[in-house]
Amino acid sequence: MKKSFLIIFVLLIFLLSGCSEKEHANILFNSEPITYETIMYPKKDFAEGQRIYYLFFTPKKLNSEFIRVQVFKVSDTINRGGYTIYWTNDYRVMKQNIYYYYNNFTIHQKGRYVMQIFSIDNLGKPLAYNEFFIR
């Protein structure tokens, strides 16, 4: 029931945002679990140690059985691509979730971060990426 409810949310986002097959995948962040109310108000600023919920969705069916979720910290003090990988995990995409994946994590260091999600079959090009801040 919970998963079918989330599928309806993702489809609602596509309908409300006018997404089509030509558009790209996206990642939404929130400080609250992803629900119908919170999905409409994504956030990018979080406190240290605060749980961050994310929803990755794509207009194209995920053909891979696994995705790789990677978070890296971007350094503003280095003017040429200064970044450090904070963590990377591989997750299995269930057959009923071929258009989305959701989970949560916590970061305990201030800074600017970027999350990117890859198909395990093509680690050279991310399916989606989005930035967020820990203040």
Side-chain angles (χ1 to χ4, degrees):
M1 169 105 172
K2 184 178 179 182
K3 293 195 186 278
S4 64
F5 196 57
L6 191 58
I7 290 171
I8 293 170
F9 290 144
V10 172
L11 292 175
L12 182 63
I13 288 175
F14 284 133
L15 293 174
L16 291 177
S17 65
C19 290
S20 68
E21 284 292 316
K22 295 179 182 177
E23 293 195 31
H24 301 288
N26 202 353
I27 304 170
L28 298 177
F29 300 105
N30 207 313
S31 58
E32 300 294 324
I34 305 292
T35 64
Y36 179 73
E37 291 82 21
T38 61
I39 205 165
M40 299 300 187
Y41 304 102
K43 297 181 180 180
K44 288 195 173 199
D45 290 317
F46 301 95
E48 284 181 271
Q50 182 178 20
R51 187 163 292 199
I52 301 169
Y53 297 88
Y54 66 93
L55 170 67
F56 160 71
F57 60 93
T58 177
K60 296 181 181 178
K61 178 179 157 183
L62 290 170
N63 294 322
S64 177
E65 204 173 322
F66 291 90
I67 58 171
R68 176 164 292 168
V69 179
Q70 183 179 66
V71 174
F72 60 90
K73 185 175 183 179
V74 179
S75 175
D76 293 329
T77 58
I78 301 172
N79 56 358
R80 287 192 207 153
Y83 65 90
T84 305
I85 294 177
Y86 189 78
W87 63 262
T88 300
N89 280 324
D90 294 341
Y91 296 102
R92 176 179 226 128
V93 178
M94 300 300 173
K95 289 182 182 179
Q96 67 269 22
N97 301 357
I98 57 175
Y99 292 100
Y100 70 94
Y101 180 79
Y102 64 97
N103 208 337
N104 64 71
F105 61 95
T106 305
I107 294 181
H108 298 280
Q109 291 180 332
K110 293 181 181 182
R112 182 170 69 138
Y113 293 85
V114 173
M115 174 184 278
Q116 45 185 7
I117 297 181
F118 300 88
S119 168
I120 204 73
D121 300 332
N122 184 4
L123 297 175
K125 181 180 177 187
L127 297 169
Y129 58 91
N130 202 351
E131 72 177 352
F132 60 95
F133 303 90
I134 305 296
R135 309 233 188 239

